[in-house]
Amino acid sequence: YALRGLRKWRGAEVEPINEEGFSVYLRTDIGTTGSPWIARGYDAWSRYKNFQHSEMMIPANKVFDIRQGSRLGNDVFVMPREYVQGMPKREQRFFRPAVMNPSVADGKLSPLYYAFYPYTDGLPEITSEEELKGYVPQYYKERLLPAKKALSARKQADINWWDLLRPRAWQKARSAKIVSKYFGGSRAFAFDATGYFVVIVGHGWLLKKGRATEEAPSDDDLVQEVVNALDGLEPTEDEIYLATLAYLSSSVAYDLIEYVSPQVAGGQLNLSNKYLGDLPIPDLVKLAPARLAELIRIGRMITEEASFDHWSEVDEIVLSALSE
């Protein structure tokens, strides 16, 4: 079908051919600019060209720190929800719901899995195997101890055998964040309002703070500018996350992500900071207050409604906000 489309297109060489599964169009920037050599669909390319230099957009890494989740070193550190819920309450506190690929669907988070995470602020430090056995006796006996040999063989000199390979210090304190899958397609983002989830297979988007420069306002000032732009709505930082989630759940964002991120096996997109750091996102300061309020409303609906399915409305609101 693609080859037939190519033969047909060569007769006109003006209008692109954009069919299901393939597109044929002319690009003159390959090899002469920094544009990717990897083939991109026409929708992704044209959407990116439209928004790349828009005054309404800003690179994601100007507003968010996109951070990689914890590295476990062994699957024994992730348990199904039912197993953790069957533990004594005093033992459950050493576990937190984990962000895995199956945990994120259509903009929502589900606590399907829990991660052993003894690093959370407020928990007692586990410095010996005896303390480990005392704090999490059931988990120690049934899961950790049988895996001790494999865990001890990990090549990491500065950790105990029961430690995660890389816990990521940024996750010790609970703070609100947008989370994403590690690899995903459309609507692969969700909002963790409680900050209770630990990102394992995925990434966390945290609002930047406290990095002032002479050339630009501090990130605290950037957040405050957004707050001021919503005069009368009494906004919070959570609402900034919600507005961003609404955008990331749109077909506009998906087309842009498809352009900046390479596909991996199975057609999934790599959602790491390496690629999404340059993703154009709305500069919320420049949006009309009414449009920003709509983004917040739809972001809240995505997060809170049990069966949200108004995705065409999401696209309409995002396009309206970015076209003014």
Side-chain angles (χ1 to χ4, degrees), residues 117-142:
Y117 198 82
Y119 315 99
T120 303
D121 288 350
L123 289 179
E125 185 179 1
I126 300 177
T127 59
S128 68
E129 191 166 342
E130 281 301 309
E131 290 179 345
L132 175 70
K133 184 178 179 180
Y135 286 129
V136 287
Q138 178 181 333
Y139 178 60
Y140 172 81
K141 178 182 178 180
E142 296 178 353

Side-chain angles (χ1 to χ4, degrees), residues 2-282:
L3 290 173
R4 289 173 182 171
L6 177 60
R7 287 195 294 270
K8 183 192 300 182
W9 180 82
R10 281 178 172 169
E13 300 193 9
V14 178
E15 294 297 325
I17 293 177
N18 196 26
E19 303 289 346
E20 183 177 354
F22 77 93
S23 52
V24 184
Y25 62 97
L26 178 64
R27 283 184 60 177
T28 59
D29 56 340
I30 297 295
T32 61
T33 69
S35 296
W37 284 79
I38 300 174
R40 301 292 196 247
Y42 178 75
D43 288 339
W45 175 78
S46 60
R47 189 78 61 128
Y48 184 79
K49 296 300 288 184
N50 287 338
F51 287 113
Q52 181 180 16
H53 301 297
S54 170
E55 294 183 355
M56 304 295 291
M57 308 294 273
I58 188 171
N61 59 16
K62 295 292 185 181
V63 182
F64 294 96
D65 276 324
I66 303 176
R67 300 184 179 181
Q68 194 176 62
S70 301
R71 288 293 171 266
L72 305 179
N74 193 291
D75 290 342
V76 75
F77 294 118
V78 174
M79 293 288 107
R81 172 176 53 191
E82 294 74 19
Y83 180 82
V84 174
Q85 289 177 339
M87 291 178 172
K89 293 292 184 182
R90 66 181 183 276
E91 195 165 342
Q92 290 183 24
R93 61 190 175 134
F94 289 90
F95 291 80
R96 284 166 60 182
V99 177
M100 312 283 285
N101 266 6
S103 309
V104 181
D106 286 338
K108 289 183 177 59
L109 268 174
S110 299
L112 303 175
Y113 300 95
Y114 277 68
F116 177 57
Y117 198 82
Y119 315 99
T120 303
D121 288 350
L123 289 179
E125 185 179 1
I126 300 177
T127 59
S128 68
E129 191 166 342
E130 281 301 309
E131 290 179 345
L132 175 70
K133 184 178 179 180
Y135 286 129
V136 287
Q138 178 181 333
Y139 178 60
Y140 172 81
K141 178 182 178 180
E142 296 178 353
R143 301 303 174 102
L144 282 181
L145 192 58
K148 182 176 180 178
K149 183 176 180 181
L151 293 172
S152 300
R154 294 177 300 171
K155 297 179 180 180
Q156 189 79 10
D158 57 344
I159 63 172
N160 299 306
W161 67 265
W162 60 84
D163 278 327
L164 273 62
L165 204 59
R166 294 186 180 87
R168 307 297 190 201
W170 67 270
Q171 304 214 71
K172 294 181 179 181
R174 300 179 186 178
S175 58
K177 57 188 176 292
I178 288 174
V179 300
S180 78
K181 299 181 179 185
Y182 198 94
F183 300 111
S186 62
R187 301 194 285 273
F189 300 82
F191 177 45
D192 175 18
T194 65
Y196 191 44
F197 280 76
V198 175
V199 181
I200 302 297
V201 182
H203 297 84
W205 289 42
L206 288 82
L207 277 170
K208 287 186 172 182
K209 298 179 182 179
R211 282 174 39 187
T213 66
E214 294 181 359
E215 296 80 14
S218 72
D219 296 305
D220 282 332
D221 290 340
L222 180 61
V223 172
Q224 191 58 47
E225 282 186 55
V226 175
V227 169
N228 291 341
L230 285 164
D231 184 34
L233 295 179
E234 298 183 1
T236 64
E237 290 188 11
D238 282 3
E239 290 173 322
I240 299 172
Y241 282 120
L242 289 170
T244 304
L245 174 65
Y247 165 75
L248 292 172
S249 302
S250 69
S251 62
V252 175
Y254 177 76
D255 284 342
L256 295 177
I257 293 170
E258 192 177 32
Y259 182 81
V260 301
S261 174
Q263 286 190 355
V264 296
Q268 300 287 292
L269 299 169
N270 188 323
L271 303 180
S272 65
N273 180 56
K274 178 180 179 181
Y275 302 105
L276 266 58
D278 291 328
L279 175 71
I281 65 172

